[in-house]
């Protein structure tokens, strides 16, 4: 109803930039991203300094994965309001998506100065540190994200993954278990926990975790590859062969294909 009201409003007042911006805002909230972009663009054409229109368009572009457009809109939004925390946050996430973690960290640090304790900003900055190989700093940001929101499963998952990379399998398992308690429909914590359990020699538990991944992602090769290797180690050659063959049907990765073919030969099977 609100969208229809503003459609009538801008039809009656087509030169009202704020009206177009508000219509774009409503369309974005209704997940009409293309409509939001079109309306906010119209607002900007009428008035290049209407700040809300850049906020609307940058978020819509972000969800459309137009990261160059996000960076462009955020720059203008920051020019209009240097205290615009959302603009720094979205631009930081866009920089990270484009493989520029240093720029991402700079923007997300500014966002956290403007909005201390933002749990998503800490998650995103942690991801940027992780991509630079700075695992301790990544873990610190994930912990700060969880301090702000103790039920934020992605932070538990990412901290578990980083702790696993640091060789701390006990803490990795604990983090992934907590993520699973919060949302048992996410495949990642089962996969990470399974890898750590396998590293600790807990093969039955690892197979169980990888089996849950298979249930949640039946069309993905990764869980079949992982379960094949764990089953082979656990003394279940038949199960390992079945999983390896299914992985070969699904994978597009040459490395995975080589790994599964090698496993099959090791088990006395013809790939």
């Amino acid at each position: 109803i609100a969208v229809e009201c503003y459609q009538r409003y801008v039809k009656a007042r087509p030169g009202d930039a704020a009206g177009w911006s508000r219509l774009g805002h409503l369309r974005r909230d209704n997940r009409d991203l293309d409509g939001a972009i079109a309306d906010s663009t119209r607002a900007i054409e009428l008035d290049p300094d209407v700040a809300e229109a850049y906020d609307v368009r940058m978020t819509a572009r972000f969800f459309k994965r137009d990261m160059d457009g996000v960076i462009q809109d955020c720059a203008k939004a920051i020019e209009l309001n240097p205290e615009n925390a959302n603009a720094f946050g979205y631009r930081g996430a866009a920089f990270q998506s484009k493989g520029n973690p240093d720029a991402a960290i700079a923007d997300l640090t500014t966002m956290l100065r403007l909005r201390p304790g933002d749990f998503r900003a800490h998650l995103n900055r942690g991801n940027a540190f992780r991509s630079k190989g700075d695992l301790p700093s990544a873990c610190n940001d994930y912990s700060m994200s969880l301090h702000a929101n103790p039920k934020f499963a992605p932070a538990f998952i990412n901290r578990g993954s980083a702790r696993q990379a640091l060789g701390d399998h006990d803490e990795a398992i604990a983090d992934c278990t907590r993520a699973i308690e919060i949302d048992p429909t996410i495949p990642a914590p089962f996969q990470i926990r399974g890898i750590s359990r396998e590293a600790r020699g807990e093969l039955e538990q690892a197979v169980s975790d990888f089996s849950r991944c298979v249930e949640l992602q039946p069309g993905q090769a990764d869980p079949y590859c992982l379960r094949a290797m764990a089953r082979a180690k656990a003394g279940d050659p038949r199960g390992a062969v079945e999983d390896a063959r299914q992985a070969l049907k699904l994978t597009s990765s040459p490395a995975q294909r080589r790994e599964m073919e090698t496993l099959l030969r090791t088990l006395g099977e013809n790939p």
Side-chain angles (χ1 to χ4, degrees):
I1 295 175
V3 169
E4 293 174 358
C5 288
Y6 266 91
Q7 283 177 317
R8 290 194 293 270
Y9 178 88
V10 297
K11 185 176 181 179
R13 300 172 179 80
D16 188 335
W20 284 103
S21 178
R22 182 60 184 165
L23 178 58
H25 187 129
L26 292 169
R27 288 193 197 274
R28 181 201 62 190
D29 290 351
N30 286 335
R31 301 188 182 279
D32 177 6
L33 300 179
D34 290 329
I37 291 169
D39 289 340
S40 55
T41 298
R42 180 63 180 143
I44 291 166
E45 290 170 349
L46 291 167
D47 181 359
D49 291 334
V50 60
E52 183 193 33
Y54 293 100
D55 287 340
V56 170
R57 195 168 68 176
M58 72 187 178
T59 54
R61 283 176 161 174
F62 185 84
F63 291 113
K64 293 276 289 183
R65 310 305 296 169
D66 175 11
M67 297 305 166
D68 289 328
V70 172
I71 291 168
Q72 179 183 1
D73 282 342
C74 288
K76 182 63 177 179
I78 291 166
E79 177 186 326
L80 293 170
N81 176 13
E83 303 293 299
N84 188 331
N86 281 338
F88 282 106
Y90 275 103
R91 191 172 69 175
F95 278 135
Q96 174 63 9
S97 179
K98 288 180 64 65
N100 188 346
D102 290 323
I105 290 166
D107 272 350
L108 292 163
T109 299
T110 300
M111 181 186 182
L112 287 163
R113 175 180 61 78
L114 295 168
R115 190 182 295 162
D118 186 286
F119 67 95
R120 294 190 187 278
H122 278 297
L123 177 79
N124 289 334
R125 192 173 68 175
N127 293 342
F129 279 123
R130 173 73 188 266
S131 68
K132 283 172 60 71
D134 186 350
L135 296 173
S137 293
C139 286
N140 183 61
D141 261 324
Y142 299 143
S143 295
M144 294 177 76
S145 177
L146 290 166
H147 178 75
N149 184 353
K151 294 187 177 181
F152 189 39
F156 278 112
I157 295 167
N158 291 9
R159 189 174 68 178
S161 177
R163 285 173 162 174
Q164 182 180 88
L166 288 166
D168 190 347
H169 294 292
D170 291 344
E171 292 299 328
I173 290 169
D175 277 343
C176 290
T177 299
R178 186 70 185 100
I180 291 165
E181 290 170 352
I182 294 168
D183 187 348
T185 68
I186 303 174
F190 289 101
Q191 181 165 315
I192 297 164
R193 189 174 70 176
I195 291 170
S196 281
R197 282 176 162 173
E198 184 176 351
R200 294 203 315 187
E202 300 169 355
L203 298 176
E204 289 186 10
Q205 295 94 325
V207 169
S208 176
D209 277 338
F210 298 144
S211 294
R212 183 60 179 147
C213 288
V214 168
E215 292 171 7
L216 293 169
Q217 297 179 301
Q220 297 294 315
D222 284 356
Y224 286 103
C225 289
L226 291 166
R227 192 171 66 177
M229 300 300 291
R231 280 178 161 172
K233 292 178 184 177
D236 179 10
R238 179 178 295 180
V241 169
E242 290 176 358
D243 281 342
R245 294 202 184 282
Q246 184 62 21
L248 287 171
K249 292 178 183 178
L250 296 172
T251 188
S252 60
S253 164
Q256 279 187 340
R257 182 167 294 278
R258 287 193 299 271
E259 183 180 36
M260 291 299 98
E261 289 174 349
T262 299
L263 176 62
L264 287 170
R265 292 190 186 98
T266 300
L267 295 171
E269 296 288 327
N270 187 343

